[in-house]
Amino acid sequence: MKHLIVIALCSILCALILLMACSAPPDGKTVFIESGCARCHEINGAGGSQAPRLQDLQSKWTPESLEKFLIDPPAYANDNARLLAYTKKYPVPMPKLEIAPARRKILVQYLLKRYP
Ligand code: HEC
């Protein structure tokens, strides 16, 4: 009988751990890579050179403006002289990518923290 209770408790614990692991939000680096950003942008010294190096983002962006840019980069870049100059320097302008709002928020936090 005691064994059964121990097994039952262990099972519940396992189920809880699994549930927590599955519902934990992905981290910023994972979203960055899964969204295809690293195809063009460098990360940790690796990745694409088809785009400007992401650095000093905090001095250029607020969380709100960066989110707006990520929703529609071409439209945003059209009104921004600095980004417009980049679009002429690199082979392809930053494309519009489908990113779920929750993942975009994670990305914004990551970019402003990871690339100070
Ligand atoms: C096809 C290549 C490409 C991909 C994929 C791409 N970018 Fe870009 N990105 C660019 C280019 C080129 C620019 C320069 C500005 C422009 O084109 O609008 C840029 C600009 C940026 C900037 C502004 C940099 C600055 O100096 O302020 C940020 C931030 C950025 N990208 C983040 C991302 C994120 C996050 C992703 C993934 C969701 C991503 N990019 C995917 C090419 C790309």
Coordinates of all heavy atoms in Angstrom, one line a residue, residues 31-32 35-41 50-57 60-61 66 69-70 73-74 76-77 82-84 86-88 90-95 97 99 107 111, ligand 1:
V31 N 14.0 32.2 -29.7 CA 13.0 32.9 -30.6 C 13.8 33.5 -31.8 O 13.4 33.5 -32.9 CB 12.2 33.9 -29.8 CG1 11.2 34.6 -30.8 CG2 11.4 33.2 -28.8
F32 N 14.9 34.2 -31.4 CA 15.7 34.8 -32.4 C 16.2 33.9 -33.5 O 16.0 34.1 -34.7 CB 17.0 35.4 -31.7 CG 17.8 36.3 -32.6 CD1 17.5 37.7 -32.8 CD2 19.0 35.8 -33.3 CE1 18.3 38.5 -33.5 CE2 19.8 36.7 -34.0 CZ 19.4 38.0 -34.2
S35 N 13.0 32.3 -35.5 CA 12.4 33.3 -36.3 C 13.2 33.6 -37.6 O 12.7 34.3 -38.5 CB 12.1 34.6 -35.6 OG 11.4 34.4 -34.4
G36 N 14.4 33.0 -37.7 CA 15.2 33.2 -38.9 C 16.1 34.4 -38.9 O 16.7 34.8 -39.9
C37 N 16.1 35.1 -37.7 CA 16.9 36.4 -37.7 C 18.4 36.1 -37.9 O 19.1 37.0 -38.5 CB 16.7 37.0 -36.3 SG 15.0 37.1 -35.7
A38 N 18.8 35.0 -37.4 CA 20.3 34.7 -37.5 C 20.7 34.4 -38.9 O 21.9 34.3 -39.2 CB 20.6 33.5 -36.6
R39 N 19.7 34.2 -39.8 CA 20.1 34.0 -41.2 C 20.8 35.2 -41.8 O 21.7 35.2 -42.6 CB 18.9 33.8 -42.1 CG 18.4 32.3 -42.2 CD 17.4 32.2 -43.2 NE 16.1 32.8 -42.9 CZ 15.5 33.7 -43.7 NH1 15.9 34.0 -44.9 NH2 14.3 34.2 -43.3
C40 N 20.4 36.4 -41.3 CA 21.0 37.6 -41.8 C 21.8 38.3 -40.7 O 22.8 39.0 -41.0 CB 19.9 38.6 -42.2 SG 19.0 38.0 -43.6
H41 N 21.4 38.3 -39.5 CA 22.1 39.0 -38.4 C 23.0 38.0 -37.6 O 22.6 36.9 -37.4 CB 21.1 39.5 -37.4 CG 20.3 40.7 -37.9 ND1 20.7 41.9 -38.0 CD2 19.0 40.7 -38.4 CE1 19.8 42.7 -38.5 NE2 18.7 42.0 -38.8
Q50 N 24.4 39.6 -43.8 CA 23.5 40.2 -44.7 C 22.7 41.4 -44.1 O 21.8 41.9 -44.7 CB 22.4 39.2 -45.2 CG 22.9 37.9 -45.6 CD 23.0 37.8 -47.1 OE1 23.6 38.6 -47.7 NE2 22.3 36.8 -47.6
A51 N 23.1 41.7 -42.9 CA 22.4 42.7 -42.2 C 23.3 43.5 -41.2 O 24.3 42.9 -40.9 CB 21.2 42.1 -41.4
P52 N 22.9 44.7 -40.8 CA 23.8 45.4 -39.9 C 24.0 44.6 -38.6 O 23.1 43.8 -38.2 CB 23.0 46.7 -39.6 CG 21.6 46.5 -40.1 CD 21.7 45.4 -41.1
R53 N 25.1 44.8 -38.0 CA 25.4 44.2 -36.7 C 24.5 44.8 -35.7 O 24.3 46.0 -35.6 CB 26.8 44.6 -36.4 CG 27.5 43.6 -35.5 CD 28.7 44.2 -34.9 NE 29.0 43.4 -33.7 CZ 30.1 42.6 -33.7 NH1 30.9 42.6 -34.6 NH2 30.2 41.8 -32.6
L54 N 23.8 44.0 -34.9 CA 22.9 44.5 -33.9 C 23.7 44.9 -32.7 O 24.3 44.1 -32.0 CB 21.9 43.4 -33.5 CG 21.0 42.9 -34.7 CD1 20.1 41.8 -34.2 CD2 20.2 44.1 -35.3
Q55 N 23.8 46.2 -32.5 CA 24.6 46.7 -31.3 C 24.0 48.0 -30.9 O 23.5 48.7 -31.7 CB 26.1 46.8 -31.6 CG 26.4 47.7 -32.8 CD 27.8 47.6 -33.2 OE1 28.6 46.8 -32.7 NE2 28.2 48.5 -34.1
D56 N 24.2 48.4 -29.6 CA 23.8 49.6 -29.1 C 22.3 49.9 -29.4 O 21.9 51.0 -29.7 CB 24.7 50.7 -29.7 CG 24.7 52.0 -28.9 OD1 24.3 52.0 -27.8 OD2 25.0 53.1 -29.5
L57 N 21.5 48.8 -29.4 CA 20.1 49.0 -29.7 C 19.4 49.9 -28.7 O 18.4 50.5 -29.1 CB 19.4 47.6 -29.9 CG 19.9 46.8 -31.0 CD1 19.2 45.5 -31.1 CD2 19.8 47.5 -32.4
K60 N 19.0 53.4 -29.6 CA 18.3 53.7 -30.8 C 16.8 53.4 -30.7 O 16.0 53.9 -31.5 CB 18.9 52.9 -32.0 CG 20.3 53.1 -32.2 CD 20.9 52.1 -33.2 CE 22.4 52.2 -33.2 NZ 23.0 50.9 -33.7
W61 N 16.4 52.5 -29.8 CA 15.1 52.0 -29.8 C 14.5 52.0 -28.4 O 15.2 51.8 -27.4 CB 15.0 50.5 -30.3 CG 15.5 50.3 -31.7 CD1 16.8 50.0 -32.1 CD2 14.8 50.4 -32.9 NE1 16.8 49.9 -33.4 CE2 15.6 50.1 -34.0 CE3 13.4 50.7 -33.2 CZ2 15.2 50.2 -35.3 CZ3 13.0 50.8 -34.5 CH2 13.9 50.5 -35.5
L66 N 10.7 49.5 -31.3 CA 11.3 48.2 -31.8 C 10.2 47.2 -32.2 O 10.2 46.6 -33.2 CB 12.2 47.6 -30.8 CG 13.1 46.5 -31.2 CD1 13.8 46.8 -32.5 CD2 14.1 46.0 -30.2
F69 N 8.6 48.4 -35.4 CA 9.5 48.0 -36.5 C 9.4 46.6 -36.9 O 9.3 46.2 -38.1 CB 11.0 48.4 -36.1 CG 12.0 47.8 -37.0 CD1 12.2 48.3 -38.3 CD2 12.9 46.8 -36.6 CE1 13.1 47.8 -39.2 CE2 13.9 46.3 -37.5 CZ 14.0 46.8 -38.8
L70 N 9.4 45.7 -35.9 CA 9.3 44.2 -36.1 C 8.0 43.8 -36.8 O 8.0 42.8 -37.5 CB 9.6 43.4 -34.8 CG 11.0 43.5 -34.3 CD1 11.2 42.8 -33.0 CD2 12.1 43.0 -35.3
P73 N 8.8 45.8 -40.9 CA 10.1 46.5 -41.1 C 10.2 47.4 -42.3 O 10.6 48.6 -42.2 CB 11.1 45.4 -41.2 CG 10.5 44.2 -40.5 CD 9.0 44.4 -40.7
P74 N 9.7 47.0 -43.5 CA 9.8 47.8 -44.7 C 9.1 49.2 -44.5 O 9.6 50.2 -44.8 CB 9.2 47.0 -45.8 CG 9.3 45.6 -45.3 CD 9.2 45.6 -43.8
Y76 N 8.3 50.7 -41.7 CA 9.0 51.5 -40.7 C 10.3 52.1 -41.3 O 10.6 53.3 -41.1 CB 9.4 50.6 -39.4 CG 9.8 51.5 -38.2 CD1 8.9 51.7 -37.2 CD2 11.0 52.0 -38.1 CE1 9.2 52.4 -36.1 CE2 11.4 52.8 -37.0 CZ 10.5 53.0 -36.0 OH 10.8 53.7 -34.9
A77 N 11.1 51.3 -42.0 CA 12.3 51.8 -42.6 C 12.1 52.9 -43.5 O 13.0 53.8 -43.7 CB 13.1 50.6 -43.2
R82 N 18.1 56.5 -41.2 CA 19.2 55.6 -40.8 C 18.9 54.2 -41.4 O 19.8 53.6 -41.9 CB 19.3 55.6 -39.3 CG 20.6 54.8 -38.8 CD 20.7 54.9 -37.3 NE 19.6 54.2 -36.6 CZ 19.5 52.9 -36.3 NH1 20.5 52.2 -36.7 NH2 18.5 52.4 -35.7
L83 N 17.7 53.7 -41.2 CA 17.4 52.4 -41.7 C 17.3 52.3 -43.2 O 17.8 51.4 -43.8 CB 16.0 51.9 -41.1 CG 16.0 51.7 -39.6 CD1 14.6 51.3 -39.1 CD2 17.0 50.7 -39.1
L84 N 16.9 53.4 -43.8 CA 16.8 53.5 -45.2 C 18.2 53.4 -45.9 O 18.4 52.8 -46.9 CB 16.2 54.9 -45.6 CG 15.2 54.8 -46.8 CD1 14.2 53.7 -46.7 CD2 14.5 56.2 -47.0
Y86 N 20.7 51.8 -44.5 CA 21.0 50.3 -44.4 C 20.4 49.5 -45.6 O 21.1 48.7 -46.1 CB 20.5 49.8 -43.1 CG 21.3 50.0 -41.9 CD1 20.7 50.2 -40.7 CD2 22.7 49.9 -42.0 CE1 21.5 50.3 -39.5 CE2 23.5 50.1 -40.8 CZ 22.8 50.3 -39.6 OH 23.6 50.4 -38.5
T87 N 19.2 49.8 -45.9 CA 18.5 49.0 -47.0 C 19.2 49.1 -48.3 O 19.1 48.3 -49.1 CB 17.0 49.4 -47.2 OG1 17.0 50.8 -47.6 CG2 16.2 49.3 -45.9
K88 N 20.0 50.2 -48.5 CA 20.8 50.4 -49.7 C 22.1 49.7 -49.6 O 22.7 49.3 -50.6 CB 20.9 51.9 -50.0 CG 19.6 52.6 -50.2 CD 19.7 53.9 -50.9 CE 18.3 54.4 -51.2 NZ 17.7 55.1 -50.0
Y90 N 22.7 46.8 -47.8 CA 22.7 45.3 -47.8 C 21.8 44.8 -48.9 O 21.0 45.5 -49.4 CB 22.1 44.9 -46.4 CG 23.1 45.2 -45.3 CD1 23.0 46.4 -44.6 CD2 24.1 44.3 -45.0 CE1 23.9 46.7 -43.6 CE2 25.0 44.6 -44.0 CZ 24.9 45.8 -43.3 OH 25.9 46.1 -42.3
P91 N 22.1 43.5 -49.3 CA 21.4 43.0 -50.5 C 19.9 43.0 -50.4 O 19.2 43.3 -51.4 CB 22.0 41.5 -50.6 CG 22.6 41.2 -49.3 CD 23.0 42.6 -48.7
V92 N 19.3 42.6 -49.3 CA 17.9 42.6 -49.2 C 17.4 43.4 -47.9 O 18.0 43.2 -46.9 CB 17.3 41.1 -48.9 CG1 15.9 41.0 -49.4 CG2 18.3 40.1 -49.5
P93 N 16.4 44.2 -48.1 CA 16.0 44.9 -46.9 C 15.4 43.9 -45.9 O 15.0 42.8 -46.3 CB 14.9 45.9 -47.4 CG 14.8 45.7 -48.8 CD 15.7 44.5 -49.2
M94 N 15.3 44.3 -44.6 CA 14.7 43.4 -43.6 C 13.3 43.1 -44.0 O 12.5 44.0 -44.2 CB 14.8 44.1 -42.3 CG 14.0 43.3 -41.3 SD 14.9 43.0 -39.8 CE 13.6 42.5 -38.7
P95 N 13.0 41.8 -44.2 CA 11.6 41.4 -44.6 C 10.6 41.4 -43.5 O 11.0 41.4 -42.3 CB 11.8 40.0 -45.1 CG 12.9 39.5 -44.3 CD 13.8 40.6 -44.0
L97 N 8.3 39.5 -41.2 CA 8.3 38.1 -40.8 C 7.1 37.9 -39.9 O 6.7 38.7 -39.1 CB 9.6 37.7 -40.1 CG 10.9 37.9 -40.9 CD1 12.0 38.0 -39.9 CD2 11.1 36.7 -41.8
I99 N 5.5 36.8 -36.9 CA 5.9 36.4 -35.5 C 4.7 36.7 -34.6 O 4.1 37.7 -34.6 CB 7.1 37.3 -35.0 CG1 8.2 37.3 -36.0 CG2 7.6 36.9 -33.7 CD1 9.3 38.4 -35.8
L107 N 11.2 38.7 -28.0 CA 12.3 39.2 -28.9 C 12.8 40.6 -28.6 O 14.0 40.9 -28.5 CB 11.8 39.1 -30.4 CG 12.7 38.7 -31.5 CD1 13.6 37.6 -31.2 CD2 11.9 38.4 -32.8
L111 N 16.4 41.6 -27.4 CA 17.3 42.5 -28.2 C 17.8 43.7 -27.4 O 18.9 44.1 -27.5 CB 16.5 43.0 -29.5 CG 16.2 42.0 -30.5 CD1 15.3 42.6 -31.6 CD2 17.5 41.5 -31.2
Ligands
HEC1 C1 16.8 38.9 -45.0 C2 17.7 39.3 -44.0 C3 17.1 39.7 -42.6 C4 16.4 38.9 -41.7 C5 15.9 37.5 -41.9 C6 16.2 39.7 -40.5 N1 16.8 41.0 -40.7 FE1 16.9 42.5 -39.3 N2 17.7 43.7 -40.7 C7 18.1 43.4 -42.0 C8 18.5 44.5 -42.7 C9 19.0 44.6 -44.2 C10 18.4 45.6 -41.8 C11 18.7 47.1 -42.1 C12 17.4 48.0 -42.1 C13 16.3 47.5 -42.9 O1 16.5 46.8 -44.0 O2 15.1 47.8 -42.6 C14 17.9 45.1 -40.6 C15 17.7 45.8 -39.4 C16 17.3 45.3 -38.2 C17 17.3 46.0 -36.9 C18 17.7 47.5 -36.7 C19 19.2 47.6 -36.5 C20 19.6 48.9 -36.0 O3 20.8 49.3 -36.2 O4 18.8 49.6 -35.4 C21 16.9 45.1 -35.9 C22 16.7 45.4 -34.5 C23 16.7 43.8 -36.6 N3 17.0 44.0 -37.9 C24 16.2 42.7 -36.0 C25 15.9 41.5 -36.6 C26 15.2 40.4 -36.0 C27 14.8 40.4 -34.5 C28 15.0 39.5 -37.0 C29 14.2 38.2 -36.9 C30 12.8 38.3 -36.4 C31 15.5 40.0 -38.2 N4 16.1 41.2 -38.0 C32 15.6 39.3 -39.4 C33 18.0 42.1 -42.5 C34 17.4 41.0 -42.0

